Amino acid sequence: MIGIIRYGAGNIFSLTATLERLGIAYGMINTEADFELYDRYIIPGVGHAGAAMHKLEHTGLVPAIKALNKPTLGICVGMQLLTSYSEEGDSDLLDLFPIKTLKFPATHGFKVPHTGWNQVFPEKENPLFANIPTGSHFYFVHSYFIEYDPLYTLSSTNYVNKFSASIWRDNFYGVQFHPEKSGAYGEQLLKNFSKI
């Protein structure tokens, strides 16, 4: 059963609707005690990484999140929170991955935010991408990207430059795209996560 960490930084309706459609059981985490009720976790997030981190700190859940040893998936800004630092708001984040979240540079021919469908290329074998072909399209909406580091990059995407579309370290995973808005392959990824 998946626990969704609630901290006021994300519209989770599309995520919960997708989990319901897939028959994946979930509930909400509002307090530290709630973590014990679930065997894996999702950190959602949309909007501003610095503001999201401030809200997360306000919940008092940060020490519990950093100590998690069960599968944990950050989605979009939830993924960015797993990194050490974001240029968005000049913000220190959870530092579960020693990499940074950077703003896309202004580049002729590329609109920011990066919005829409783009290809994702897995770079490591991992059950999160089981039954998802290399080069499958996922849906992105973001102005900041996770710097590419082959040590932590689970899959990559190219837009302006090569960046981490997903990251992985121990029991922590992050995806920059929105699996709940990415059709069949996004649903497959959520099913895969529910079984890791």
Side-chain angles (χ1 to χ4, degrees):
M1 190 164 172
I2 294 175
I4 299 173
I5 297 172
R6 295 297 304 272
Y7 63 104
N11 175 7
I12 63 168
F13 175 76
S14 57
L15 174 60
T16 56
T18 301
L19 294 175
E20 287 173 11
R21 189 168 62 250
L22 296 173
I24 298 172
Y26 70 89
M28 300 298 160
I29 292 177
N30 298 293
T31 68
E32 189 171 341
D34 293 338
F35 283 101
E36 298 177 15
L37 304 175
Y38 304 96
D39 54 13
R40 64 204 69 235
Y41 312 102
I42 289 178
I43 306 172
V46 296
H48 188 286
M53 186 65 198
H54 180 73
K55 290 178 180 178
L56 191 59
E57 289 173 331
H58 190 68
T59 67
L61 297 177
V62 167
I65 292 170
K66 295 182 77 165
L68 292 175
N69 56 14
K70 299 175 183 177
T72 303
L73 175 67
I75 296 176
C76 194
V77 169
M79 169 184 174
Q80 296 176 4
L81 291 176
L82 300 176
T83 67
S84 63
Y85 169 83
S86 177
E87 290 186 340
E88 187 172 28
D90 188 25
S91 305
D92 291 326
L93 304 177
L94 291 171
D95 196 26
L96 289 161
F97 292 77
I99 50 180
K100 295 178 180 179
T101 300
L102 307 173
K103 185 172 178 60
F104 280 118
T107 305
H108 181 71
F110 292 91
K111 291 183 178 180
V112 176
H114 170 216
T115 303
W117 296 85
N118 206 338
Q119 287 182 286
V120 170
F121 298 93
E123 300 204 356
K124 294 182 173 74
E125 287 288 326
N126 188 279
L128 190 65
F129 279 87
N131 301 310
I132 297 174
T134 295
S136 294
H137 286 78
F138 289 84
Y139 187 79
F140 291 82
V141 184
H142 61 121
S143 298
Y144 292 77
F145 66 94
I146 309 295
E147 64 178 334
Y148 178 84
D149 185 324
L151 189 59
Y152 304 111
T153 298
L154 181 53
S155 68
S156 62
T157 293
N158 282 283
Y159 191 79
V160 182
N161 44 246
K162 185 177 183 179
F163 66 89
S164 294
S166 63
I167 52 177
W168 166 41
R169 184 185 189 189
D170 301 323
N171 58 302
F172 288 96
Y173 299 82
V175 292
Q176 181 62 67
F177 50 81
H178 285 275
E180 75 279 10
K181 297 178 180 178
S182 295
Y185 294 131
E187 292 183 354
Q188 182 65 54
L189 185 140
L190 290 171
K191 286 191 283 187
N192 291 343
F193 177 68
S194 75
K195 298 171 183 175
I196 288 175

